[in-house]
Amino acid sequence: FSSTFLAAAGFPDDAGGYFTGIGLGSLALNLGSGWLLDRCGHHGVLAACLGAMALGMGLIVSAGNVPALLGVSGLLVGGGYGGAMTAAQTLTAARESVRTSVLAWQQNAIDIGIAAASVAFGFVFAATSAANPVPFLLQAAALLVGALIACVCNRFSRSGKER
C-alpha cells in the first residue's frame, strides 16, 4: 500500500526511490546484523531496528515532495526490517528442540500481519482516501511500542546479551 499512498498523495518518482531504499537498507543490515547481534544482544538490536522502521514510516507521511526523504524513509524501513528479521530468527531458533516449529509460527505471524494490514489499509483507503497517512502513523506507533518492549526485555535480561 506504500505505492498506492505515494501515488495518491502526489509524490514524484512513482515510489522508485522509496523501494530502492528499502532494498538497499535491508541488504546492508542483513550483512551487518550478525556482527551487531553477537556484540550488542538480540533485544537491543531488535529495539534499534524497530525504532528505525518507526522513523521510516513516520518519514513517508511527512516527506512531502522531497524525493530524498522518501529514499531515507526506505533505507530506515528496509534496514530496520533486515536487522529485525535476523534478530527475531536467531531469538526464535535458539532452542534446538523446538526450532522448526517456532520458525513456522514466526512465518505464520508474518503472513497474518500481511493479511491484517491489507484489510486495514484497504478499508481506511476505501473509506477515506488513498492519500490518508493514518495507517502509516499507526504502523509507526506499533513499531515504537515493539521497540520499547524490546528495550524493557533487554534491560531485564541477565547481561543485556542473550546467548
Side-chain angles (χ1 to χ4, degrees), residues 46-102:
L46 185 58
C49 289
L50 292 175
M53 288 173 42
L55 182 57
M57 294 310 295
L59 276 179
I60 194 174
V61 302
S62 60
N65 288 325
V66 182
L69 284 182
L70 287 177
V72 171
S73 171
L75 284 170
L76 288 166
V77 169
Y81 178 78
M85 286 305 297
T86 302
Q89 288 173 342
T90 57
L91 275 170
T92 57
R95 289 186 47 209
E96 189 174 342
S97 64
V98 294
R99 180 175 300 145
T100 306
S101 296
V102 171

Side-chain angles (χ1 to χ4, degrees), residues 43 46-51 54 142-152:
H43 292 111
L46 185 58
C49 289
L50 292 175
L143 288 163
L144 284 176
V145 168
L148 290 172
I149 290 169
C151 284
V152 169

Side-chain angles (χ1 to χ4, degrees), residues 1 4 114-132 134-135 138:
F1 284 96
T4 302
I114 291 168
S118 295
V119 170
F121 274 61
F123 177 75
V124 170
F125 287 170
T128 60
S129 158
N132 188 337
V134 169
L138 291 174

